[in-house]
């Protein structure tokens, strides 16, 4: 069976590529074209990235408490105490 | 028949019949991703045929609609080249049929987008983007299958041998082509033929496939002479409108 690929699409308005799903393909070229056919049929995107799923390393759900809970009470890390000038875009 | 009407109907029929053939794969593709890819091709082609039938209906001026032209004409009225009506066979055969057609359609539309008929030129310019992707898709699959396993190579080579006789008609002018060429409406098919042969040679070589040496002889689709297969397509495609005239979705 062909390997699994993760697909990332950048929309016309978007500044970053967002994960949209996965598909099977024999190589990168086929994966990009299949992504075009499967994930951009309704004008969703202007750019496609694909990466073989095996190259993605994920955090372990068992580590969630140690990884993420300590951030819960650090509200001062949010930059909500600044006035953002109107000229700054994409904030 | 008015040559421009005859010509526009042919372009519409080519797109509709090949689009219908591809739509037969919907739900039956070898893998999900390619099932969707072929359905996309089918939708592109059927969309192109709609624009062309609408124009044909206007040229005819008899009050017939695009649907009347698609669903209520008989086999001998259809002007599509025979290649488009041939059965899908296996995936390799469908891919080969598509490649042989796309290698013609892409340079053909490029030339037609310069037509003196503004409506045909506009439809061609819009369709060209789709055809460019179709050719890319079908070329790559011919290369993958030809230069793939022993079995895939054998299957696409067999498909090529069997489809080859039908390729000549694509670029062999009939009376309508000649009339409209002199009026600056239809492209010069000799130029399209040269582009077709160049692409065929290039892709078949990379696919390690052998171009048949016989000269493609089959013809007649442009003048309403078809293989036995067209009748079966029309029977399936038209039965609803013929059984329940005016039925709507």
């Amino acid at each position: 069976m062909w390997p699994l690929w993760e697909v990332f699409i950048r929309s016309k308005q978007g500044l970053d590529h967002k994960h949209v799903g996965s598909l099977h393909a024999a190589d990168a070229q086929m994966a990009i074209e299949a992504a075009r056919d499967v994930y951009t049929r309704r004008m969703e995107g202007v750019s496609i990235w694909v990466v073989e799923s095996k190259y993605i390393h994920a955090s372990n759900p068992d580590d969630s408490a140690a990884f993420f809970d300590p951030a819960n009470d650090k509200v001062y890390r949010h930059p909500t105490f600044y006035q953002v000038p109107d000229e700054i875009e994409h904030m | 028949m008015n040559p421009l009407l005859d010509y526009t109907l042919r372009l519409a029929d080519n797109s509709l019949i090949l689009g219908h053939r591809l739509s037969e794969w919907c739900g039956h593709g070898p893998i999900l991703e390619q099932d969707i890819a072929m359905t996309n091709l089918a939708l592109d082609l059927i969309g192109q045929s709609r624009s062309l039938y609408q124009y044909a209906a206007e040229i005819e001026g008899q009050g017939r609609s695009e649907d009347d032209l698609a669903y209520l004409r008989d086999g001998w009225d259809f002007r599509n080249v025979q290649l488009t009506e041939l059965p899908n066979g296996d995936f390799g055969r469908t891919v080969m049929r598509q490649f042989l057609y796309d290698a013609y359609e892409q340079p053909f539309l490029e030339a037609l987008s310069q037509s003196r008929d503004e409506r045909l030129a506009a439809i061609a310019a819009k369709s060209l983007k789709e055809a460019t992707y179709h050719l890319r898709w079908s070329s790559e699959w011919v290369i993958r299958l030809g230069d793939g396993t022993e079995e895939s190579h054998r299957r696409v080579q067999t498909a090529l041998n069997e489809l080859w006789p039908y390729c000549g008609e694509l670029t062999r002018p009939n009376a309508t082509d000649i009339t409209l060429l002199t009026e600056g409406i239809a492209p010069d098919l000799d130029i399209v033929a040269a582009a077709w042969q160049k692409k065929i040679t290039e892709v078949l070589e990379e696919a390690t496939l052998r171009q048949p040496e016989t000269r493609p002889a089959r013809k007649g689709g442009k003048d309403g002479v078809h293989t036995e297969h067209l009748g079966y397509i029309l029977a399936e495609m038209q039965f609803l409108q013929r059984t329940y005239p005016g039925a709507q979705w």
Side-chain angles (χ1 to χ4, degrees):
Chain A
M1 190 60 196
W2 291 334
L4 191 67
W5 298 74
E6 301 300 323
V7 180
F8 301 82
I9 304 278
R10 183 164 72 79
S11 70
K12 198 172 276 179
Q13 291 81 22
L15 292 167
D16 51 355
H17 289 70
K18 289 199 164 58
H19 185 240
V20 294
S22 55
L23 49 76
H24 288 97
D27 56 32
Q29 185 177 15
M30 192 193 291
I32 287 176
E33 286 167 20
R36 179 264 190 195
D37 280 321
V38 176
Y39 292 111
T40 68
R41 306 173 78 224
R42 301 179 184 87
M43 303 194 298
E44 291 93 337
V46 294
S47 172
I48 298 171
W49 287 351
V50 294
V51 60
E52 250 192 274
S53 307
K54 70 179 180 187
Y55 292 118
I56 292 184
H57 301 270
S59 60
N60 187 338
D62 295 343
D63 296 333
S64 286
F67 265 44
F68 307 118
D69 289 353
N72 281 348
D73 61 351
K74 316 275 195 303
V75 65
Y76 50 84
R77 289 177 180 168
H78 292 274
T80 51
F81 308 101
Y82 302 93
Q83 294 287 338
V84 180
D86 291 341
E87 294 76 20
I88 306 289
E89 292 175 349
H90 311 305
M91 287 291 284
Chain B
M1 196 192 295
N2 171 342
L4 183 60
L5 174 59
D6 185 52
Y7 193 72
T8 306
L9 279 174
R10 181 210 302 171
L11 304 186
D13 292 342
N14 277 343
S15 295
L16 179 69
I17 298 299
L18 187 59
H20 184 83
R21 274 293 185 224
L22 286 164
S23 78
E24 293 171 359
W25 273 105
C26 186
H28 302 276
I31 60 164
L32 177 67
E33 290 81 353
Q34 298 308 323
D35 189 295
I36 296 175
M38 283 188 285
T39 307
N40 286 350
L41 303 182
L43 287 169
D44 285 347
L45 289 168
I46 292 167
Q48 292 168 16
S49 77
R50 287 197 57 195
S51 306
L52 291 159
Y53 282 129
Q54 286 164 9
Y55 185 37
E58 286 172 37
I59 299 168
E60 188 185 49
Q62 301 289 322
R64 289 205 284 182
S65 69
E66 52 175 307
D67 287 340
D68 294 332
L69 293 173
Y71 294 119
L72 298 176
R73 283 185 305 141
D74 287 315
W76 50 76
D77 297 325
F78 273 73
R79 293 288 181 266
N80 58 284
V81 294
Q82 293 176 356
L83 180 68
T84 60
E85 72 205 32
L86 298 177
N88 287 338
D90 57 25
F91 178 67
R93 192 184 175 94
T94 295
V95 159
M96 182 55 77
R97 184 187 62 202
Q98 195 62 34
F99 168 64
L100 295 171
Y101 183 80
D102 293 340
Y104 150 81
E105 183 73 348
Q106 202 267 352
F108 172 77
L109 289 174
E110 201 165 356
L112 186 65
S113 67
Q114 306 299 317
S115 172
R116 272 174 56 185
D117 185 291
E118 288 179 11
R119 187 79 168 269
L120 286 181
I123 295 171
K126 179 170 183 285
S127 307
L128 178 60
K129 291 181 190 172
E130 296 171 338
T132 301
Y133 188 80
H134 297 182
L135 177 59
R136 176 183 168 133
W137 179 87
S138 58
S139 300
E140 283 176 13
W141 272 107
V142 165
I143 293 164
R144 283 180 193 283
L145 296 173
D147 192 19
T149 66
E150 202 175 306
E151 182 180 2
S152 69
H153 177 90
R154 178 177 55 75
R155 286 186 185 226
V156 283
Q157 181 68 60
T158 303
L160 174 60
N161 297 345
E162 291 176 8
L163 296 171
W164 187 253
Y166 296 91
C167 292
E169 188 182 16
L170 290 166
T171 52
R172 190 177 299 136
N174 74 349
T176 298
D177 287 302
I178 293 164
T179 304
L180 294 184
L181 174 61
T182 58
E183 294 176 20
I185 293 173
D188 184 342
L189 288 178
D190 286 345
I191 294 172
V192 177
W196 183 83
Q197 184 58 61
K198 184 167 178 285
K199 187 72 184 177
I200 296 292
T201 304
E202 177 191 310
V203 170
L204 292 186
E205 189 182 317
E206 196 175 343
T208 72
L209 294 168
R210 188 176 39 75
Q211 177 177 315
E213 284 163 16
T214 52
R215 192 165 168 277
R218 300 294 297 251
K219 60 176 182 170
K222 292 179 179 181
D223 297 309
V225 179
H226 294 283
T227 67
E228 64 179 294
H229 306 294
L230 182 67
Y232 292 98
I233 300 177
L234 296 184
E236 184 177 335
M237 204 172 72
Q238 296 183 336
F239 91 92
L240 194 92
Q241 276 304 317
R242 289 185 182 275
T243 312
Y244 304 99
Q248 297 215 341
W249 191 241

